Amino acid sequence: MSATQSNAWVVETLGDDYKSPAEILENLKALGPLIEEEAPEIDRIRHLTPRMVAALKQAGAFRIAWPAAWGGPEMRFDDQIRAVETLSYHDASVAWNVQILSDTGFYGAQFPEEIARELYGSMDFATAGGYYPPQRADRVEGGWHIPKGRWPFGSGIHSADCIVCGIHLHENGEVLRDADGQPEFRVAYLPKDKVKLLDTWHTLGLRGSGSTDYEIEDVVIPDKYVFKYFSGAASHLPPLARHADFIAISLQGVVLGLGRRILDDVRTELKKRSPNDRFARIQYAEAEMNYNAARAFSLSTAALVSDKLFAGQELTADEEAMTTLCSVNAGHQVRKACGMALELLGASIIYQRSPFERRRRDLDTLMVHLGHQRRALEAAGGSILGENNLPHLA
């Protein structure tokens, strides 16, 4: 499929006006006041408001990963982090929704043109869903039958146009296995009208991410709407979709944007107090030092990966591993920096009326995500050490 053919498809079938990465970044920056206005309601209803979804679509937030050959912006990973960071500065839940729903271009790039046409009527369509635990899908004529399935953590699912899930393939009553003896794992597109959202998302923080459970019953998925979530690299795919694990790189933007906001607000409060305190000067400076070092690591790694992928080059094992290291590091260093800064404000931060209340609980909730947990380092560490038989995504 040539770039000319693909662009014709976008103009004719999707009907989307082109938005450049730079234009989308500017559009998202302009949404700050609206996000501040909508954030309390988003936190209350536990998912994005219709007004917020419409504004994000108009800004181009959900299209950032669509391939350039298809007329999409194909935003570099470092700019994806900046885009999510910009939103998280105002509300982490809005940013969390966008870093999930903007994976749509990754999903679309897995398919041939004609199938992508069927699934997506616009580059602004948003995709959500969880993979784990994979549910049973039995081979039937032309596809796979899911008798009953339920998945947790469907972030952004209230605002999604397309919903995916993880399945293990079965045939003649037996699970199918790959060459390594592992169950055959696939990602499947579900008919949206058959998906039931469950009211399970009652959490400490990130309440507005809408990461609720969802379920289906007695659904047949055509073969053409099922794809293999590969492990490692797939050189035939567009740059952003070439490495399966890289779908989550923009996650770092959530903690970086939230951390920047907390530090900025602490600094504003400290200036009001004019403490003239040597300890406060040193501790706040160290908080800034930790934060900025973490952000630099995240952005430089994402830039390196983007440079090589867009140049058609292969990544080394160490370079792949660094994408995990910088994500875990971002979470831990930002939490440390924010903790040091907030400590300087004393007991005032413990009250529900505190302006830090929502941001503190959002940060605590962020830290339970695998992308920021130390156990995520296992596979990266093994790869750096040249080991085999490492844990992988599916």
Side-chain angles (χ1 to χ4, degrees):
M1 181 171 57
S2 70
T4 303
Q5 290 171 322
S6 299
N7 285 330
W9 160 47
V10 171
V11 173
E12 179 181 346
T13 306
L14 299 184
D16 294 319
D17 295 327
Y18 176 73
K19 290 183 175 70
S20 70
E23 182 182 358
I24 293 173
L25 283 169
E26 289 303 312
N27 290 345
L28 296 180
K29 289 178 184 177
L31 291 181
L34 176 62
I35 297 172
E36 298 280 352
E37 182 180 338
E38 293 290 290
E41 179 67 2
I42 290 170
D43 192 69
R44 186 188 71 80
I45 66 175
R46 293 172 287 123
H47 58 79
L48 295 179
T49 60
R51 184 185 183 200
M52 194 73 252
V53 174
L56 289 168
K57 285 193 173 187
Q58 185 174 5
F62 303 147
R63 66 167 63 186
I64 62 178
W66 277 99
W70 294 11
E74 200 167 47
M75 186 181 286
R76 294 167 50 93
F77 286 121
D78 43 327
D79 281 339
Q80 288 188 36
I81 291 176
R82 293 185 181 96
V84 174
E85 180 184 45
T86 294
L87 301 172
S88 193
Y89 189 85
H90 302 285
D91 184 63
S93 286
V94 170
W96 188 273
N97 274 279
V98 169
Q99 67 93 14
I100 292 291
L101 297 170
S102 65
D103 291 335
T104 292
F106 167 88
Y107 290 116
Q110 307 298 313
F111 293 95
E113 173 189 348
E114 63 273 12
I115 306 303
R117 282 189 188 187
E118 295 178 15
L119 290 169
Y120 295 102
S122 167
M123 284 190 294
D124 293 319
F125 274 22
T127 309
Y131 302 151
Y132 306 105
Q135 301 294 293
R136 178 178 183 138
D138 293 285
R139 165 62 76 184
V140 294
E141 185 177 356
W144 301 91
H145 176 244
I146 304 176
K148 190 173 181 65
R150 175 170 173 166
W151 298 265
F153 302 115
S155 296
I157 200 166
H158 296 81
S159 310
D161 301 286
C162 297
I163 298 174
V164 296
C165 69
I167 55 175
H168 277 157
L169 305 184
H170 289 68
E171 190 167 8
N172 299 323
E174 299 291 334
V175 63
L176 300 180
R177 297 187 180 275
D178 61 21
D180 296 324
Q182 298 299 314
E184 287 280 8
F185 174 82
R186 297 290 188 276
V187 175
Y189 278 74
L190 300 173
K192 188 177 178 182
D193 60 347
K194 300 291 186 181
V195 177
K196 180 181 180 182
L197 304 188
L198 306 176
D199 188 19
T200 59
W201 191 244
H202 299 270
T203 57
L204 173 70
L206 289 179
R207 293 175 182 170
S209 69
S211 306
T212 196
D213 291 19
Y214 61 105
E215 66 180 9
I216 60 169
E217 188 169 354
D218 192 24
V219 168
V220 174
I221 313 296
D223 276 320
K224 62 182 179 179
Y225 294 157
V226 176
F227 71 90
K228 184 171 185 177
Y229 201 100
F230 56 91
S231 176
S235 59
H236 67 286
L237 294 177
L240 296 180
R242 207 161 286 164
H243 288 257
D245 293 352
F246 291 1
I247 191 173
I249 284 181
S250 64
L251 168 71
Q252 297 165 69
V254 183
V255 75
L256 290 170
L258 175 58
R260 183 69 268 163
R261 178 58 178 269
I262 290 173
L263 290 177
D264 284 354
D265 288 352
V266 169
R267 178 169 55 182
T268 298
E269 185 61 28
L270 289 175
K271 285 182 176 180
K272 291 178 185 176
R273 299 182 183 188
S274 300
N276 194 28
D277 184 301
R278 182 169 180 264
F279 173 78
R281 295 169 185 161
I282 294 172
Q283 183 150 315
Y284 185 81
E286 187 174 349
E288 284 282 355
M289 177 180 69
N290 289 332
Y291 172 85
N292 283 289
R295 184 173 186 269
F297 183 24
S298 291
L299 289 176
S300 64
T301 300
L304 170 66
V305 166
S306 298
D307 287 344
K308 295 197 72 171
L309 290 177
F310 281 100
Q313 300 173 13
E314 293 187 6
L315 299 174
T316 67
D318 284 7
E319 288 167 344
E320 289 188 52
M322 286 300 136
T323 64
T324 299
L325 269 58
C326 68
S327 180
V328 175
N329 181 70
H332 283 261
Q333 294 303 323
V334 170
R335 180 170 64 175
K336 177 182 177 182
C338 291
M340 294 175 68
L342 288 165
E343 182 183 30
L344 298 173
L345 299 183
S348 64
I349 65 170
I350 70 173
Y351 293 94
Q352 288 187 344
R353 66 176 181 271
S354 165
F356 296 97
E357 184 267 341
R358 187 178 79 243
R359 305 196 197 283
R360 288 180 64 215
R361 54 183 171 83
D362 284 347
L363 183 58
D364 286 343
T365 303
L366 265 173
M367 290 307 301
V368 305
H369 190 274
L370 179 60
H372 297 316
Q373 290 185 30
R374 289 184 68 249
R375 66 190 179 102
L377 297 173
E378 180 187 0
S383 178
I384 292 171
L385 295 173
E387 297 179 5
N388 298 315
N389 194 29
L390 299 173
H392 52 82
L393 196 60

